[in-house]
Protein backbone atom coordinates (compact mmCIF):
# COMPACT_ATOMS: atom_id res chain seq x y z
CA UNK A 1 0.00 0.00 0.00
CA UNK A 2 1.34 3.38 -1.00
CA UNK A 3 1.73 6.14 1.54
CA UNK A 4 -0.67 8.93 0.55
CA UNK A 5 1.05 11.52 2.76
CA UNK A 6 4.46 11.10 1.14
CA UNK A 7 6.07 14.35 -0.01
CA UNK A 8 6.19 14.79 -3.76
CA UNK A 9 9.50 14.42 -5.52
CA UNK A 10 11.47 17.40 -6.77
CA UNK A 11 10.45 16.57 -10.32
CA UNK A 12 6.82 16.60 -9.32
CA UNK A 13 7.15 19.97 -7.59
CA UNK A 14 9.02 21.52 -10.56
CA UNK A 15 6.35 20.47 -13.02
CA UNK A 16 3.78 22.37 -10.96
CA UNK A 17 5.71 25.69 -11.32
CA UNK A 18 4.33 28.15 -13.84
CA UNK A 19 7.54 29.20 -15.63
CA UNK A 20 5.84 32.04 -17.48
CA UNK A 21 4.86 33.62 -14.17
CA UNK A 22 8.41 33.19 -12.84
CA UNK A 23 9.88 34.82 -15.97
CA UNK A 24 7.42 37.71 -15.76
CA UNK A 25 8.18 38.17 -12.06
CA UNK A 26 11.93 38.26 -12.68
CA UNK A 27 11.40 40.68 -15.55
CA UNK A 28 9.38 43.00 -13.30
CA UNK A 29 12.04 42.91 -10.57
CA UNK A 30 14.76 43.60 -13.15
CA UNK A 31 12.79 46.49 -14.63
CA UNK A 32 12.24 48.01 -11.20
CA UNK A 33 15.96 47.78 -10.37
CA UNK A 34 16.89 49.33 -13.72
CA UNK A 35 14.38 52.15 -13.08
CA UNK A 36 15.96 52.90 -9.70
CA UNK A 37 19.45 52.93 -11.25
CA UNK A 38 18.40 55.16 -14.18
CA UNK A 39 16.62 57.61 -11.89
CA UNK A 40 19.72 57.87 -9.69
CA UNK A 41 21.91 58.60 -12.73
CA UNK A 42 19.52 61.25 -14.04
CA UNK A 43 19.35 62.98 -10.68
CA UNK A 44 23.14 62.94 -10.48
CA UNK A 45 23.32 64.67 -13.88
CA UNK A 46 20.90 67.33 -12.66
CA UNK A 47 23.32 68.19 -9.83
CA UNK A 48 26.29 68.79 -12.19
CA UNK A 49 27.49 72.38 -12.44
CA UNK A 50 28.12 73.71 -15.95
CA UNK A 51 31.23 75.90 -16.21
CA UNK A 52 33.26 77.46 -19.01
CA UNK A 53 37.00 77.64 -19.58
CA UNK A 54 38.73 79.84 -22.17
CA UNK A 55 41.18 77.24 -23.42
CA UNK A 56 42.29 79.29 -26.42
CA UNK A 57 43.28 82.17 -24.12
CA UNK A 58 45.20 79.87 -21.78
CA UNK A 59 47.00 78.16 -24.66
CA UNK A 60 47.55 81.43 -26.55
CA UNK A 61 49.19 83.07 -23.54
CA UNK A 62 51.46 80.07 -23.04
CA UNK A 63 52.47 79.83 -26.71
CA UNK A 64 53.17 83.58 -26.80
CA UNK A 65 55.41 83.32 -23.72
CA UNK A 66 57.23 80.34 -25.21
CA UNK A 67 57.80 82.18 -28.50
CA UNK A 68 59.42 85.09 -26.64
CA UNK A 69 61.57 82.80 -24.47
CA UNK A 70 63.90 81.79 -27.31
CA UNK A 71 64.47 78.24 -26.12
CA UNK A 72 65.78 75.35 -28.18
CA UNK A 73 63.09 73.62 -30.28
CA UNK A 74 63.45 70.34 -28.35
CA UNK A 75 62.95 72.08 -25.00
CA UNK A 76 60.00 74.07 -26.35
CA UNK A 77 58.42 70.87 -27.65
CA UNK A 78 58.81 69.20 -24.24
CA UNK A 79 57.36 72.22 -22.45
CA UNK A 80 54.36 72.45 -24.82
CA UNK A 81 53.68 68.74 -24.40
CA UNK A 82 53.89 69.02 -20.60
CA UNK A 83 51.62 72.07 -20.66
CA UNK A 84 49.03 70.32 -22.83
CA UNK A 85 49.02 67.33 -20.47
CA UNK A 86 48.60 69.65 -17.49
CA UNK A 87 45.66 71.45 -19.15
CA UNK A 88 44.01 68.12 -19.96
CA UNK A 89 44.51 66.85 -16.39
CA UNK A 90 43.13 70.07 -14.92
CA UNK A 91 39.98 70.00 -17.05
CA UNK A 92 39.55 66.28 -16.34
CA UNK A 93 39.80 67.03 -12.61
CA UNK A 94 36.95 69.53 -12.93
CA UNK A 95 34.86 66.79 -14.53
CA UNK A 96 35.60 64.38 -11.69
CA UNK A 97 34.46 67.07 -9.25
CA UNK A 98 31.00 66.95 -10.84
CA UNK A 99 31.31 69.80 -13.31
CA UNK A 100 30.52 69.83 -17.00
CA UNK A 101 33.22 71.89 -18.70
CA UNK A 102 32.36 73.83 -21.86
CA UNK A 103 34.92 75.62 -24.00
CA UNK A 104 34.03 79.29 -23.51
CA UNK A 105 34.56 80.09 -27.18
CA UNK A 106 31.75 77.65 -28.06
CA UNK A 107 29.22 79.18 -25.65
CA UNK A 108 27.07 81.82 -27.34
CA UNK A 109 25.39 83.27 -24.26
CA UNK A 110 24.63 82.35 -20.73
CA UNK A 111 25.55 82.88 -17.17
CA UNK A 112 27.82 79.91 -16.57
CA UNK A 113 30.73 80.45 -14.19
CA UNK A 114 34.09 80.96 -15.90
CA UNK A 115 36.87 78.90 -14.28
CA UNK A 116 39.63 79.99 -16.67
CA UNK A 117 41.80 81.50 -13.93
CA UNK A 118 41.33 78.47 -11.66
CA UNK A 119 42.41 76.17 -14.50
CA UNK A 120 45.36 78.46 -15.30
CA UNK A 121 46.52 78.31 -11.66
CA UNK A 122 46.06 74.54 -11.51
CA UNK A 123 47.99 74.08 -14.75
CA UNK A 124 50.84 76.26 -13.44
CA UNK A 125 50.96 74.12 -10.29
CA UNK A 126 50.99 70.91 -12.34
CA UNK A 127 53.71 72.16 -14.72
CA UNK A 128 55.94 73.18 -11.81
CA UNK A 129 55.58 69.64 -10.41
CA UNK A 130 57.06 68.18 -13.62
CA UNK A 131 60.89 68.14 -13.28
CA UNK A 132 61.64 68.51 -17.03
CA UNK A 133 59.18 71.37 -17.53
CA UNK A 134 60.75 74.18 -15.54
CA UNK A 135 59.08 77.53 -15.87
Amino acid sequence: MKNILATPTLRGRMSAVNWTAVALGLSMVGSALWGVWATDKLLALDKREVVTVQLSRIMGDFIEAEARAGRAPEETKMRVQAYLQAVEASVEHLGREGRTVLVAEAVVAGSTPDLTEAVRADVARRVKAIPDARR
Side-chain angles (χ1 to χ4, degrees):
M1 181 172 189
K2 270 188 161 178
N3 186 356
I4 298 174
L5 297 176
T7 57
T9 63
L10 180 61
R11 186 171 297 193
R13 282 184 273 168
M14 295 300 285
S15 67
V17 173
N18 184 346
W19 291 106
T20 304
V22 170
L24 286 174
L26 289 174
S27 174
M28 289 173 60
V29 169
S31 295
L33 290 174
W34 177 83
V36 168
W37 174 82
T39 300
D40 179 57
K41 293 299 179 188
L42 288 173
L43 291 175
L45 284 176
D46 190 39
K47 295 175 188 173
R48 290 183 71 88
E49 179 185 17
V50 177
V51 298
T52 59
V53 175
Q54 296 177 11
L55 290 177
S56 66
R57 190 171 101 197
I58 291 173
M59 292 305 299
D61 292 348
F62 175 75
I63 297 298
E64 188 177 312
E66 285 298 306
R68 287 191 302 247
R71 291 186 178 88
E74 297 81 26
E75 184 180 356
T76 300
K77 181 179 177 181
M78 281 187 350
R79 289 175 53 82
V80 168
Q81 187 176 19
Y83 196 82
L84 287 173
Q85 289 173 346
V87 168
E88 183 179 333
S90 183
V91 171
E92 185 178 309
H93 178 71
L94 289 174
R96 284 192 310 267
E97 288 181 336
R99 294 183 171 119
T100 300
V101 180
L102 302 176
V103 178
E105 293 80 9
V107 177
V108 176
S111 59
T112 58
D114 186 355
L115 296 182
T116 302
E117 294 308 316
V119 170
R120 186 188 306 269
D122 187 48
V123 168
R125 179 188 57 78
R126 289 174 189 271
V127 169
K128 286 179 185 173
I130 301 171
D132 293 334
R134 296 174 303 281
R135 184 154 197 202

